[in-house]
Amino acid sequence: MLQTPKSLQSYTNFLNPPHIQELPTSSSFPTTKQCCKFSRRELTIQSNSLLLLLFGSQSLNPFQMSNAQAEEQSWTDTKTKEEQVENLNTASSCTSKSLTKRAFLDISIDGQPVGRIIVGLYGNDAPVGVATFSDIVSGSAGISYRRKEFVKIMPSYVQHGGVRSYGVDAEMAKRTGITSTVENLVEEWEKMEEKCGAGTKNLAGSVSIVVRDPSKPPPKLKLVARKGKLEIDQEEVGTAPNGTEFVIANKDSPELDASALVVGKVLEGMEVVERIGQVQTVKENTTSPYFRVAKLIGDKRAVVAERGFNRPYSKVVVTNCGLLE
């Protein structure tokens, strides 16, 4: 009798698997159908509740975020308004200054009178500068602007030479203490810069005292023999302003803000200032490469040449000056 191969037996078992006995279902274990049996009404109520919870959780956070953003925006707007009010107050205090004194300057060009300039002075805002200008204008300091010339005429302002830093005027200024107030003028200029901040201070019609020279080159180093030893010394190039030169702006002159302290404004006689501005002057030569190199290395010839730039060909003089009651 032929035996069935093992491979055929396994194939037969695969086609006819042995009978698996079903386990009895106990009544203590409910079927899936029994556990998940809900009515349509209950399903509808539960689904609606879930939807409400879902929508509520999604809409709550944006609502809270919108409140936070609104509070932050409100705080930012309030801060901005406070800064704007502060800036307006500062700007108004720098532009709307009270006049305490009046001075006059009689001007002549080549010996011909051209008119009078009346200047109002800000004694409360620039007390040191106004005191210096008033003392020189009135002559109470022993020196005066009388018979002194305008030395520079620019497109936007004219500059008076003030009191000379040498000779009799310098000796008199030293005795009366005028030259010792330069540091005080610089301090007052620094306070004004800090108070008013950005913005043009030397507006059209402003009268200012020149207190510093930002273009002045640094001291020049040189070797000096002292007591048989070589030492390094510093030589000043050019001269710093002595606190007596003043400028009158016929246009807004922001370039003066770095060097001039505003002490007043022209009340009458702007046509005289414009007449001075029309005088022919020596042309600048600052674009020359030779001048640039000489100025950079502190060559005295460049300093002397620069003093002649924009100098009027005509003689523009203050023939008389003083304070008005």
Side-chain angles (χ1 to χ4, degrees), residues 51-65:
L51 288 174
L52 288 174
L53 289 174
L54 179 62
F55 291 150
S57 62
Q58 291 180 352
S59 61
L60 183 60
N61 288 336
F63 180 72
Q64 292 176 348
M65 290 177 62

Side-chain angles (χ1 to χ4, degrees), residues 65-95:
M65 290 177 62
S66 63
N67 285 340
Q69 291 176 354
E71 292 178 359
E72 183 178 358
Q73 184 65 30
S74 176
W75 181 84
T76 304
D77 294 342
T78 304
K79 192 71 175 177
T80 304
K81 289 180 180 179
E82 291 177 355
E83 292 177 354
Q84 290 176 352
V85 171
E86 184 178 357
N87 292 335
L88 287 174
N89 292 335
T90 303
S92 62
S93 64
C94 292
T95 55

Side-chain angles (χ1 to χ4, degrees), residues 213-265:
D213 183 8
S215 63
K216 182 184 176 184
K220 185 178 179 181
L221 299 179
K222 64 177 182 178
L223 287 175
V224 180
R226 290 194 180 98
K227 297 180 180 180
K229 295 181 180 180
L230 291 176
E231 297 180 359
I232 298 177
D233 196 6
Q234 292 184 346
E235 181 183 6
E236 292 290 336
V237 180
T239 56
N242 59 11
T244 63
E245 301 173 62
F246 69 90
V247 293
I248 304 176
N250 51 21
K251 298 178 182 177
D252 291 353
S253 306
E255 66 272 18
L256 291 176
D257 292 343
S259 59
L261 170 67
V262 178
V263 296
K265 68 176 181 179

